[in-house]
Amino acid sequence: MTTTSRTSEPGAGGNGLPRMDPFFTATLSAEAYRILVALVYQHSRIQLGPDKQPMLANRLRKRLRELGLVSYDEYCAILQSERGPDEIEHLVDLISTNHTRFFREPEHFTLLTERLLPPLIPQLAVTGSGLRVWSAAAASGEEPYTLVEWLVEASDISHRMLDQAQQGIYRLDARHALPPELLQRYFQRGVGAREGTCRVKAELRKRVRLQRINLFQAEYPVPLDQHVIFCRNVMIYFDLPSRTTLVQKLTRQLAPGGLLVIGHSESLLGIHHELESVRQSIYRRR
């Protein structure tokens, strides 16, 4: 059983002595869960239902241990204190779902490269402009690196995922399966302690700009007139008002004729927008 040496923070006992680590006995009460759900929604628009309480408790246990806390109620007190803003970033980071892989939903890439983007390239060549593509939920980087021949912007709300994306290091497993010719051309295989991993080559990494963005912040630090915005498998975590707000904000970020790509399991049903359907899950700004 371990102890914490901190005595002046909320994890310390009333007598100033360090507490033993009891994280495995902590129970997430209904009231603490209500506070956490409200804070998560307020700062990320991610909506957690009653069925997510065990998941949230499990993801926060390690954080409680790091802070030397004995209860989720103490953690809620920190979130509502002067330390709250910094800790809320940790909270949102921990609850963010970051499921991704290279060439996920490959039909989008095929359609873009073979049908939708080629007519635009000559126009850009005449004006000397570059193709502007934004992966608005980059997670650990597989999507923007899949688009790396065209991509100039990538963002995510999770510090943890952006750190991994910045490194560009991935395990050579089924999730990151790549055609051998692409693996040889764009990746370096790890050796020694790094065996079993691969890293995106430096010349590709420098073509991707990664930054933390909350999709509901007032302004995006991303250039306007984007030609393509990927925002896939994100809206499924939001309620209808939040989805409406997000689609309207992303539409304003698109150039006239620009494309918004969402996940195959998502739709704009019930959302007031100024987009026209191109194909399933692909929309064009009028």
Side-chain angles (χ1 to χ4, degrees):
M1 193 169 290
T2 60
T3 61
T4 174
S5 61
R6 278 184 283 197
T7 59
S8 60
E9 295 187 9
N15 58 4
L17 296 175
R19 286 175 172 162
M20 291 186 294
D21 178 6
F23 74 98
F24 51 86
T25 63
T27 300
L28 179 55
S29 67
E31 176 61 17
Y33 185 64
R34 183 193 66 77
I35 293 171
L36 291 168
V37 167
L39 287 170
V40 167
Y41 183 83
Q42 178 184 351
H43 292 276
S44 71
R45 297 294 184 96
I46 295 173
Q47 192 171 39
L48 300 175
D51 60 320
K52 300 299 183 183
Q53 186 165 339
M55 177 275 289
L56 185 59
N58 184 58
R59 292 192 181 183
L60 288 178
R61 283 194 183 102
K62 182 179 179 181
R63 186 60 181 162
L64 263 65
R65 184 166 73 251
E66 290 173 348
L67 296 175
L69 305 179
V70 298
S71 73
Y72 293 96
D73 296 308
E74 284 188 317
Y75 185 65
C76 289
I78 289 178
L79 293 171
Q80 295 171 312
S81 71
E82 292 182 357
R83 295 170 55 189
D86 289 338
E87 188 55 40
I88 286 170
E89 288 195 8
H90 283 286
L91 171 64
V92 172
D93 197 22
L94 288 171
I95 61 91
S96 299
T97 300
N98 299 288
H99 175 70
T100 187
R101 63 179 182 272
F102 289 108
F103 297 101
R104 186 182 185 185
E105 298 180 355
E107 297 85 358
H108 286 150
F109 303 107
T110 301
L111 188 61
L112 282 172
T113 56
E114 295 183 0
R115 298 280 306 274
L116 299 177
L117 292 182
L120 179 62
I121 302 304
Q123 302 174 32
L124 296 176
V126 170
T127 61
S129 302
L131 181 65
R132 293 182 293 276
V133 183
W134 174 24
S135 173
S140 49
E142 287 87 338
E143 182 174 274
Y145 286 129
T146 300
L147 284 163
V148 73
E149 292 188 29
W150 304 278
L151 186 67
V152 294
E153 300 286 346
S155 66
D156 198 84
I157 197 172
S158 170
H159 288 293
R160 175 171 45 91
M161 288 294 101
L162 284 178
D163 287 343
Q164 183 176 340
Q166 192 70 59
Q167 294 177 36
I169 299 175
Y170 305 96
R171 293 204 60 80
L172 290 169
D173 54 23
R175 175 186 165 196
H176 297 109
L178 288 163
E181 63 274 15
L182 293 182
L183 185 62
Q184 181 176 1
R185 188 182 309 165
Y186 296 123
F187 293 81
Q188 297 170 313
R189 287 181 176 271
V191 297
R194 291 288 188 180
E195 188 172 353
T197 67
C198 62
R199 187 176 193 183
V200 179
K201 289 183 177 180
E203 57 265 32
L204 271 69
R205 293 201 310 275
K206 68 183 181 182
R207 296 182 62 185
V208 177
R209 183 160 70 97
L210 295 158
Q211 57 187 324
R212 183 180 185 272
I213 292 178
N214 185 324
L215 291 175
F216 296 94
Q217 66 191 61
E219 301 290 338
Y220 297 144
V222 174
L224 292 170
D225 294 332
Q226 293 290 313
H227 297 111
V228 185
I229 295 178
F230 271 64
C231 190
R232 305 190 301 171
N233 306 301
V234 176
M235 290 190 290
I236 55 176
Y237 300 106
F238 305 142
D239 58 13
L240 181 58
S242 299
R243 293 199 299 272
T244 300
T245 298
L246 177 58
V247 169
Q248 292 173 349
K249 286 173 66 66
L250 293 178
T251 299
R252 290 194 293 270
Q253 208 74 24
L254 283 170
L259 300 169
L260 173 64
V261 184
I262 63 176
H264 286 309
S265 62
E266 300 171 315
S267 78
L268 303 189
L269 185 66
I271 297 175
H272 176 72
H273 59 82
E274 300 177 359
L275 301 165
E276 59 182 5
S277 177
V278 177
R279 291 288 183 88
Q280 180 188 2
S281 67
I282 301 181
Y283 298 84
R284 178 183 284 115
R285 182 177 181 179
R286 296 188 181 97

